[in-house]
Amino acid sequence: NMSSFRKALKSNQRNHKERSQPSFRKHLGFLEKKKDYKLRADDYHKKQNTLNALQKKALNKNPDEFYFKMTSTQLQDGVQVLRHPEEELTEEQKKVMRTQDMKYVEMKRVAEAKKIERLKSELHLLDAEGKMQNNHTFFVDSKKEVEEFDLASHLNTAPELVDRVYNRPTTDMLQKNIIKGATRAADLKKLARQRRHQYKLLSERIVREKKMFVIAQKIQTRKDLMDKTNKVKVKNETVNSPAIYKFQAKRKR
C-alpha cells in the first residue's frame, strides 16, 4: 500500500526548522519566517481580491439603474446617507406616550416600595451582625457604681445574651420557658448569613426605587417641555435629578 509506505517515510523525516536571525545581523531587524510571510501574503491577496471585485462591480454598473433606496438616501460628501424620516406624531400623541411611560415607571416604583416595606417589617431594621448602630447609655450616681456596674444583672439576663439587641430574654423567662430556635454555632452562622443576604437585597431594592423615582421625574419634565410656554433652564440635568425649568406665568382660561 503506497499510502502506508508514504506515511512510514514521513515518520522518519527530519523536522524542518527555520533559522533565527544571526547575531551579526540583529541590526537589520526581525527575520521573517514562513508563517509570517503566509499571514502577510494572505492579507495582501484578500485586499487585492476585494479591490478587483469592487472595480468589476463599478464597470458593470448601469448608470440608468433605479432602486427604491434612492428615494430615502442623499449624497453627503460623496457618501450615501440615509435620510431621517420625519416623525409622524402629533404633540398630543407624544404627550400620551410620555404619560404611559411615566405610569409604567411609577407602577414599577410603587411595587419596589411595597417590597421594601415588607423586607423592613421582616428584618425589624437589624443589621447583619445582630447589633444596632445606636448606643444604649446607662446613668449612675457615682464612680463607685460605675466600677461595680454589672450589665447582665442590670438587664436581668444571662451574661451570654448581653451582646444581643434583639430576642434577649430575661432570667425569669429562661427559668420558666424552654429556649426555642437555633442554639448551635453552625445554625447561628447560617441565620446570620441569611440575614446579611436579606439586607443586601433590601439595599439593592432601595437603590432601584430611587432610580425609578428619578426616571419618572425626568419623563414628567420632558412632558412639561412640550407646552409652548416660554421657559428658562435654571439647573442642568444630572444623574440623580432632572433638569429644573422656570416657566412663564400664564393665566389659564
Side-chain angles (χ1 to χ4, degrees):
N1 192 350
M2 290 298 295
S3 61
S4 60
F5 179 71
R6 193 178 298 112
K7 290 179 181 178
L9 281 177
K10 285 186 176 180
S11 64
N12 294 327
Q13 286 180 353
R14 185 177 180 180
N15 292 331
H16 174 70
K17 296 182 180 180
E18 292 185 282
R19 69 186 181 94
S20 60
Q21 184 74 286
S23 59
F24 66 91
R25 292 175 59 88
K26 289 288 186 181
H27 65 280
L28 298 177
F30 176 74
L31 179 63
E32 187 181 51
K33 307 297 188 300
K34 184 176 180 180
K35 60 180 182 179
D36 305 318
Y37 159 76
K38 189 74 169 62
L39 293 173
R40 183 166 56 83
D42 290 343
D43 182 63
Y44 172 77
H45 289 303
K46 182 180 178 181
K47 291 177 180 177
Q48 287 299 117
N49 293 336
T50 304
L51 290 174
N52 293 335
L54 291 174
Q55 187 178 10
K56 185 178 180 180
K57 186 176 180 181
L59 291 173
N60 295 334
K61 184 179 180 181
N62 181 7
D64 298 327
E65 182 180 4
F66 172 80
Y67 55 97
F68 286 98
K69 206 167 186 180
M70 289 179 177
T71 60
S72 60
T73 58
Q74 59 183 358
L75 193 65
Q76 291 183 0
D77 299 330
V79 180
Q80 290 288 341
V81 180
L82 183 65
R83 291 196 190 98
H84 296 288
E86 296 182 359
E87 295 184 357
E88 300 179 354
L89 296 174
T90 62
E91 293 295 327
E92 189 65 28
Q93 290 174 339
K94 290 180 181 178
K95 286 184 180 180
V96 172
M97 291 176 65
R98 296 284 187 190
T99 304
Q100 291 178 348
D101 293 341
M102 191 173 63
K103 286 183 178 178
Y104 175 77
V105 173
E106 187 65 20
M107 179 189 70
K108 289 292 185 181
R109 189 192 68 80
V110 171
E112 287 292 334
K114 290 182 179 178
K115 291 177 182 178
I116 289 170
E117 291 299 325
R118 187 171 66 250
L119 280 173
K120 284 183 178 180
S121 63
E122 292 175 357
L123 295 172
H124 302 291
L125 298 179
L126 299 173
D127 63 14
E129 299 299 329
K131 295 181 180 179
M132 294 285 286
Q133 298 296 327
N134 55 350
N135 297 323
H136 192 171
T137 306
F138 297 95
F139 296 92
V140 293
D141 297 330
S142 62
K143 292 184 179 180
K144 184 178 179 181
E145 293 183 9
V146 173
E147 296 173 355
E148 297 176 355
F149 186 78
D150 186 11
L151 187 59
S153 61
H154 187 81
L155 295 175
N156 192 20
T157 186
E160 295 82 3
L161 303 177
V162 169
D163 293 335
R164 300 180 66 176
V165 293
Y166 64 96
N167 193 16
R168 183 171 57 199
T170 61
T171 307
D172 298 335
M173 295 172 62
L174 292 173
Q175 291 176 355
K176 293 179 181 178
N177 300 326
I178 300 174
I179 298 177
K180 299 179 180 180
T183 55
R184 295 186 303 171
D187 295 337
L188 292 174
K189 287 183 179 179
K190 182 178 179 181
L191 290 175
R193 187 166 59 250
Q194 292 176 354
R195 201 179 302 119
R196 284 194 296 269
H197 175 70
Q198 289 292 97
Y199 274 100
K200 182 180 178 182
L201 185 63
L202 175 62
S203 62
E204 290 176 355
R205 290 195 180 280
I206 291 174
V207 172
R208 194 179 301 125
E209 191 268 340
K210 289 181 179 178
K211 288 182 179 179
M212 288 184 180
F213 179 72
V214 174
I215 291 172
Q217 285 185 325
K218 290 182 178 180
I219 293 175
Q220 181 62 41
T221 303
R222 285 169 173 77
K223 180 185 173 184
D224 296 337
L225 290 176
M226 292 181 181
D227 293 335
K228 296 180 179 180
T229 308
N230 294 333
K231 48 194 169 290
V232 178
K233 182 183 282 189
V234 179
K235 187 177 180 181
N236 293 328
E237 183 178 291
T238 62
V239 178
N240 299 319
S241 63
I244 299 176
Y245 290 85
K246 185 177 181 181
F247 291 85
Q248 182 183 7
K250 186 177 180 181
R251 183 179 178 184
K252 301 291 183 180
R253 292 186 178 180

